[in-house]
Amino acid sequence: MQDRMTGSQMYFRKEFSRITAFKDGYSFYLQKQNLVQAGFMLHQVLELGFRVAENILIGKEKFSHSLKNHQVHIRPYCKELGELFHQSAELSVLDKIDESYKAARYEHDFVLSLDELSLAHEKALELIRILYTCHQQLLAEIAGIDPDHCRYKS
């Protein structure tokens, strides 16, 4: 049991450090008013976050750069993450953030608004809060504690 607990904590720390680095990159590029690169950084925060959630909840991550694919994949296991972007305006922003992954590398005329970035940033922070709670639930399950005491409340 202790090995599983330690392994889970080490994995979570490592992945959260990567997520935090991209979140910091978002802030850096936003401050420089490079919205396309800021969007790319948010894409990476969200993609890594979904992959961590998949590993925690399903036991295996989906290999895809599409945030929409990750959201659909996780939905049966975590409704909160499966519906992170669910209103039409949110889904439109999700599509734009998905596009930013390619645009940051290959396109020079891609446009992402500050409002779109702000919404995506809020969703990324929500994903991080949900991830933290999912990890606490996993640790509770490993320790044999009823995980409902730390269930995510929306």
Side-chain angles (χ1 to χ4, degrees):
M1 174 175 74
Q2 191 60 37
D3 287 346
R4 288 179 58 204
M5 184 84 72
T6 302
S8 177
Q9 289 170 328
M10 287 175 50
Y11 167 77
F12 196 73
R13 262 194 300 270
K14 181 183 96 180
E15 295 303 316
F16 247 76
S17 123
R18 294 174 65 207
I19 290 169
T20 300
F22 281 115
K23 194 163 68 75
D24 292 347
Y26 161 77
S27 297
F28 173 81
Y29 285 111
L30 187 63
Q31 183 180 24
K32 300 286 184 192
Q33 298 184 12
N34 185 337
L35 303 186
V36 174
Q37 269 315 119
F40 172 75
M41 293 292 143
L42 275 182
H43 178 279
Q44 295 305 101
V45 168
L46 290 161
E47 181 182 345
L48 287 171
F50 276 120
R51 286 177 183 242
V52 170
E54 291 160 359
N55 276 315
I56 290 171
L57 297 168
I58 304 168
K60 183 178 180 184
E61 68 185 66
K62 180 172 186 61
F63 293 106
S64 173
H65 292 297
S66 167
L67 300 176
K68 194 175 271 189
N69 285 346
H70 283 290
Q71 184 169 280
V72 167
H73 183 65
I74 198 76
R75 186 175 292 136
Y77 306 94
C78 180
K79 183 179 178 185
E80 294 87 0
L81 290 177
E83 296 179 359
L84 188 63
F85 294 84
H86 65 279
Q87 296 175 358
S88 63
E90 295 170 346
L91 290 169
S92 175
V93 168
L94 180 64
D95 286 338
K96 291 284 287 250
I97 294 296
D98 258 345
E99 285 178 51
S100 75
Y101 178 79
K102 293 179 209 144
R105 294 174 168 202
Y106 308 115
E107 296 177 28
H108 300 289
D109 58 349
F110 180 75
V111 177
L112 197 58
S113 77
L114 197 52
D115 288 341
E116 291 167 328
L117 275 175
S118 180
L119 177 72
H121 183 248
E122 288 175 26
K123 295 299 182 176
L125 295 177
E126 186 176 343
L127 182 143
I128 289 168
R129 285 190 299 273
I130 294 168
L131 262 183
Y132 178 79
T133 301
C134 288
H135 185 248
Q136 293 305 308
Q137 288 175 307
L138 176 63
L139 293 177
E141 288 175 18
I142 292 170
I145 300 169
D146 181 8
D148 285 336
H149 81 279
C150 56
R151 188 149 318 271
Y152 171 76
K153 305 284 191 240
S154 51

